[in-house]
Every structure is written in structure tokens, then in C-alpha cells.
Amino acid sequence: MPREFSVPGQRLRREECPVKVRIDVGLCQGHGRCYDLAPGLFGDDAEGYGMVLSEDNVPPEAEEDARRATLNCPEHAIQLIEGT
Ligand code: F3S
């Protein structure tokens, strides 16, 4: 059964709740776990620092990868933004 989220004025199922990822470039130290764990969402720049590949919402099938990458960044540089 899909989880539901409450936002002002409506209830959303989990798959209807958009998620985006961001990297705080001031915190990223280039550990690379994001692009190892979620290569469909993150890449690396010429110096090995993480980059978000798309500004779009994370596809529902990649949301678990986004959460895993967020939780595994040693610098806590990845932000998971929900409900945007
Ligand atoms: Fe940077 Fe964290 Fe990825 S330090 S390269 S955002 S795992």
C-alpha cells in the first residue's frame, strides 16, 4: 500500500510527492559515494566532486537511490528536497 503524505490542502501518495536532490558544493569533499550509489542521479566533475545530473524531479523508481546516496554522504552535502 503506498504511503501517503499530507501537504496543505491535499493528501499525496508517495509516488505523487516530488523529490529533488541538491549538493551543497561548500560541503562536498569528493568522496564519490553519491555517484557510486546513484549513478543515474549524480556524476562527478573533473576534480571528482559530486554533481547532480538533472534539476528535474527524481523519477519515482530512483527515489530509493536518492535516499541511499543522501544518507551515505560523509559530509552531509546532499539535500533531499521533498514536496517541491
Ligand atoms: Fe561529495 Fe558527498 Fe558525493 S562528499 S562527491 S556529495 S558522497
Side-chain angles (χ1 to χ4, degrees):
M1 177 144 197
R3 290 176 52 192
E4 292 186 341
F5 295 86
S6 173
V7 298
Q10 57 185 313
R11 288 170 71 93
L12 297 174
R13 289 182 175 202
R14 183 184 180 106
E15 62 264 26
E16 296 168 343
C17 184
V19 170
K20 292 185 179 189
V21 285
R22 298 275 185 272
I23 291 179
D24 184 331
V25 296
L27 294 176
C28 177
Q29 295 296 310
H31 293 285
R33 293 187 188 170
C34 54
Y35 46 83
D36 284 345
L37 292 169
L41 301 173
F42 301 96
D44 59 325
D45 68 11
E47 297 174 333
Y49 292 99
M51 297 171 36
V52 175
L53 297 178
S54 171
E55 297 294 319
D56 295 338
N57 292 335
V58 172
E61 64 273 15
E63 200 176 303
E64 188 175 329
D65 287 348
R67 293 181 192 283
R68 186 179 302 115
T70 301
L71 291 171
N72 280 279
C73 174
E75 306 297 334
H76 306 290
I78 303 172
Q79 295 174 297
L80 192 76
I81 304 161
E82 298 185 80
T84 56

